[in-house]
Amino acid sequence: MARREGLRLRVLGRREIEREKMSGLLAVNSGSVRPPVFLIGEYSPPRARGTAVLVGKGITFDSGGISI
């Protein structure tokens, strides 16, 4: 889907996450049986008039009732 929409997508696995020192992500992931994944998507339209950054968080296990 990313390729079709012209989005450059980078997928970081555990090793890359550790290399980037994302200890908060690793700490949260320690409560999951699934390995951590971090996605970086970049869209660069030909005539961009500025830069926008969007940050999102997905929860794939019980967050303990904490409202984000």
Side-chain angles (χ1 to χ4, degrees):
M1 182 179 95
R3 189 176 302 120
R4 182 185 70 222
E5 299 300 330
L7 185 71
R8 192 170 91 198
L9 185 65
R10 187 170 161 213
V11 181
L12 305 183
R14 180 179 297 279
R15 285 187 183 157
E16 294 88 1
I17 293 169
E18 289 171 348
R19 195 175 311 126
E20 293 295 329
K21 299 180 181 171
M22 299 170 138
S23 56
L25 175 61
L26 293 170
V28 170
N29 177 252
S30 68
S32 175
V33 296
R34 296 177 184 251
V37 178
F38 191 84
L39 305 175
I40 302 171
E42 293 183 48
Y43 177 65
S44 300
R47 294 178 297 281
R49 295 185 303 225
T51 301
V53 177
L54 304 174
V55 178
K57 180 179 187 234
I59 298 176
T60 57
F61 60 94
D62 183 11
S63 63
I66 297 172
S67 177
I68 299 181

